[in-house]
Amino acid sequence: MTDLDAFITGLPKAELHLHIEGSLEPELMFALAKRNGVEIPYASVEEVRAAYAFTRLQDFLDIYYAGAMVLRTRQDFHDMAMAYFERAASDGVVHAELMFDPQTHTDRGIAFAEVIEGLLSAMAEAEAKHGLTSRLILSFLRHLSEEAAFETLAMAEPWLDRIAAVGLDSSELGHPPVKFAQVFAAARAKGLKLTAHAGEEGPPEYVYQALDLLKVDRIDHGNRALEDEGLTRRLAKLGMTLTVCPLSNLKLCVIDDIARHPIDAMLQGGLKATINSDDPAYFGGYIADNYRAVAAARGLSREDLVTLARNSFTGSFLPAEAIEGHLAAIEAFVAGHG
Ligand code: HPA
Ligand code: ZN
């Protein structure tokens, strides 16, 4: 391990943009398919990995939803989340905010309780075992209707005290944030935080809508906001957190080369960017791989890496005292790596 690798791994960090279904590695997919008697259209783990060649978001989503079909019981959701937490802990993640897509499961007859109870038990185990805290973000699928999102929010009602926020994911183009303005307002009225994918494939207009119509607390991705100088200035002034996912951007052709990733332009423009893995089983790396990729490709300094890690806590949905504690831990780590 190089000094930089050790620095990246050791740096205390939060992961704010992680779809738990996107952490399902092919090996576990096969094991769950066997356990549940579910057919999958691949003969081997190698064949699955070979299918992970995407030119746009929808190519990925088709495979990601098919992969999720092997998940049936709360034990499955527990095992998937635990596998993620083990990887995250070994990458120096001390807090994670997990998105999950209930509709992907409830629409094929899996009870909401099975999904969330499996995730919650893994979250408790990760905290007990690694001191890794976590929160849940219930994400609405934007290719479905707002009415369906309302039904999902109603299903979540008994667990609302264990859900930090709602999110918005899936096929961005053609499904602008405005489609979900009412359900986001309802979620806000219930005391939930709000985040939405915007400006991954969609235009800057979708980022404006996420701000003005959804009134989000964070923007997931946000890359295309950079096409609009006024919007970039506004995001910087607001201190709006962007949950950026470099290897995802590369795999989904949001950028054509990691050497042209705009992470340093974001930081120089005063944007509160963070580094995240999005769907690590599909995009070729966990959070430390993402830090390493942009550090190497864009020549990020240690100071930049520390800024990114600090942003991951100040942009989290943790209470202020917990954030202060994590920032102090970063200071202590940096002091020990002078
Ligand atoms: N973008 C949109 N929807 C998603 C993603 C993503 O990267 N991952 C899982 N759902
Ligand atoms: Zn995402």
Side-chain angles (χ1 to χ4, degrees), residues 17 19 99 169 197 200 220-221 245 278-279:
H17 185 157
H19 302 265
M99 291 185 238
D169 62 9
H197 284 55
E200 180 183 21
D220 295 315
H221 296 294
C245 306
D278 207 1
D279 299 282

Side-chain angles (χ1 to χ4, degrees), residues 145-334:
S145 67
E146 185 177 49
E147 191 189 345
F150 267 110
E151 285 163 15
T152 305
L153 188 58
M155 266 182 218
E157 194 76 39
W159 290 274
L160 281 191
D161 58 338
R162 279 151 289 170
I163 294 173
V166 297
L168 186 64
D169 62 9
S170 194
S171 321
E172 187 179 9
L173 288 170
H175 302 284
V178 63
K179 184 177 163 188
F180 295 91
Q182 311 292 329
V183 75
F184 267 62
R188 182 170 353 105
K190 291 178 189 295
L192 295 169
K193 298 279 189 186
L194 310 174
T195 184
H197 284 55
E200 180 183 21
E201 282 191 344
E205 168 60 19
Y206 286 22
V207 179
Y208 279 108
Q209 287 188 11
L211 293 176
D212 295 328
L213 305 179
L214 302 188
K215 305 192 191 305
V216 291
D217 299 291
R218 291 205 295 248
I219 299 275
D220 295 315
H221 296 294
N223 299 51
R224 291 196 60 195
L226 294 174
E227 295 169 21
D228 181 326
E229 264 182 50
L231 177 59
T232 303
R233 273 198 302 275
R234 183 172 162 200
L235 289 167
K237 201 164 164 206
L238 282 171
M240 179 60 59
T241 299
L242 303 186
T243 64
V244 180
C245 306
L247 292 174
S248 164
N249 294 158
L250 183 64
K251 274 286 202 178
L252 298 183
C253 304
V254 169
I255 53 170
D256 60 4
D257 189 331
I258 196 72
R260 274 190 284 278
H261 195 279
I263 191 70
D264 46 328
M266 288 171 163
L267 292 177
Q268 275 149 25
L271 292 171
K272 192 165 144 186
T274 62
I275 298 281
N276 308 273
S277 68
D278 207 1
D279 299 282
Y282 292 87
F283 299 150
Y286 286 75
I287 191 169
D289 300 311
N290 276 272
Y291 271 81
R292 275 193 284 274
V294 283
R298 299 300 309 170
L300 298 187
S301 63
R302 288 192 177 198
E303 204 181 342
D304 293 328
L305 299 171
V306 169
T307 298
L308 290 162
R310 288 179 61 87
N311 290 349
S312 74
F313 293 110
T314 58
S316 75
F317 295 141
L318 283 170
E321 323 81 80
I323 293 173
E324 287 308 318
H326 288 302
L327 296 179
I330 292 180
E331 297 316 314
F333 172 81
V334 172

Side-chain angles (χ1 to χ4, degrees), residues 9-58:
T9 306
L11 188 61
K13 59 187 91 59
E15 176 140 64
L16 304 182
H17 185 157
L18 179 278
H19 302 265
I20 196 63
E21 293 91 345
S23 74
L24 180 62
E25 292 285 348
E27 289 80 2
L28 185 56
M29 194 188 292
F30 269 93
L32 296 184
K34 192 165 172 219
R35 181 154 101 190
N36 293 324
V38 176
E39 295 268 341
I40 48 175
Y42 306 102
S44 66
V45 161
E46 293 68 38
E47 224 181 81
V48 180
R49 288 222 162 80
Y52 295 173
F54 316 116
T55 57
R56 61 198 173 107
L57 175 58
Q58 194 62 47

